[in-house]
Amino acid sequence: MGEQHEDQEHGAELARPPLTTARAREMTAGLRAAMDDVRRSVAVLAARVRDAHAARVWLPLGHSSWESYCAAEFGISRAQAYRLLDVARTLTAIGGAVAAGPGLSRTRDTDSESPAALDYGLSQRALIDVSSRSVDVAELITRRLATLAHSGLQALDEPTVSAVVRQAVRDVRTAPSLPPADAPADPALAELRRVIDDLAASTHQLGELMLEVAPAYLSDTAATDVLAPLCEEIGENLESGLAARRYAMSGDRRALYGTVL
């Protein structure tokens, strides 16, 4: 009986009329809208979590702590309660970096801490992943927005700012921090490290130049088309130029392995 029922279910599935292109596009649009709604809800939730925690909302309700308040009122665990705070703090740091950027006063809501101002289309998972490095994310956003503003090659409208924010989060998320290295006792090694540090610093400057021409939200493929004429003009190898650009975006020297270093 179980096998017969399973066959009937499969038969019903096969009997469905073929999906038209128009219907497939309609379903895809519905999925895209639902995903956008979820991402927007992350910003709204983050703003309300931030405000509730700052107001110590648990005290008037008779709870001893934030975690006990979340457990009693919403049925979530201690870990979930603090993940909500991580998301709120990360988005607030990002919003502050955007608000402090040059020429950005009209790109977002005038209140930089409102839910609308915190909506950059970022998933909760991505925000949690970079929560311990929110300062790095904010600094990266500030530097890239300043580079774009000074280059004058790209209008700092809302889509551009959001693209810069998402790319900065992606870069920090995928490039973990390297542990600090102890100074070598051998003077020759110390001198070699100094030379490498100087080379990395100059390469970072080159990468910032590349970012002025090919902003951070462009993929490597798109950046190649833009940077090829520049690299040819200044006598720079294109692969090294792309590596320098990746280094300027991430701050991670591993982006230079196999090219500059």
Side-chain angles (χ1 to χ4, degrees):
M1 289 295 292
E3 291 180 359
Q4 182 180 2
H5 180 64
E6 185 177 353
D7 289 340
Q8 289 175 346
E9 287 184 341
H10 285 302
E13 183 71 26
L14 292 173
R16 287 184 178 181
L19 192 65
T20 65
T21 301
R23 177 56 181 155
R25 292 191 184 282
E26 181 183 348
M27 293 176 69
T28 301
L31 283 172
R32 184 176 292 111
M35 291 177 182
D36 289 342
D37 288 342
V38 169
R39 284 191 286 263
R40 279 191 292 271
S41 71
V42 169
V44 173
L45 177 61
R48 293 179 180 173
V49 165
R50 178 201 60 216
D51 294 344
H53 189 268
R56 300 173 69 83
V57 69
W58 58 90
L59 294 179
L61 299 178
H63 301 293
S64 60
S65 63
W66 168 254
E67 57 263 35
S68 62
Y69 161 75
C70 288
E73 300 292 335
F74 311 116
I76 63 177
S77 67
R78 180 180 185 277
Q80 288 174 308
Y82 282 99
R83 278 198 292 269
L84 288 175
L85 283 180
D86 286 340
V87 169
R89 288 165 178 159
T90 303
L91 270 175
T92 299
I94 290 171
V98 169
L104 301 177
S105 58
R106 293 183 297 279
T107 62
R108 286 220 165 252
D109 194 289
T110 52
D111 178 3
S112 64
E113 293 193 351
S114 70
L118 296 177
D119 178 16
Y120 298 102
L122 296 164
S123 71
Q124 189 176 51
R125 181 70 262 169
L127 292 165
I128 290 171
D129 287 348
V130 300
S131 61
S132 63
R133 302 181 64 192
S134 59
V135 172
D136 294 340
V137 174
E139 289 178 349
L140 200 54
I141 291 168
T142 299
R143 186 169 71 244
R144 290 179 182 177
L145 290 177
T147 299
L148 278 177
H150 295 153
S151 71
L153 299 174
Q154 180 72 42
L156 290 181
D157 54 11
E158 186 169 322
T160 300
V161 172
S162 294
V164 169
V165 168
R166 289 193 298 272
Q167 185 63 50
V169 169
R170 189 179 303 119
D171 290 341
V172 171
R173 189 183 184 191
T174 57
S177 299
L178 292 172
D182 296 330
D186 188 331
L189 287 177
E191 177 62 18
L192 177 60
R193 178 169 294 175
R194 187 191 65 77
V195 171
I196 291 175
D197 288 344
D198 289 345
L199 177 59
S202 61
T203 303
H204 193 281
Q205 292 176 345
L206 175 63
E208 292 287 0
L209 171 64
M210 299 295 169
L211 283 173
E212 289 186 15
V213 179
Y217 56 83
L218 293 180
S219 67
D220 260 14
T221 301
T224 296
D225 296 336
V226 177
L227 292 178
L230 172 64
C231 288
E232 183 176 356
E233 183 176 339
I234 65 176
E236 181 65 53
N237 178 274
L238 177 60
E239 287 302 316
S240 297
L242 289 169
R245 177 176 175 270
R246 288 191 292 269
Y247 177 43
M249 288 194 295
S250 67
D252 189 336
R253 287 190 187 179
R254 284 173 289 189
L256 304 177
Y257 290 176
T259 54
V260 180
L261 298 179

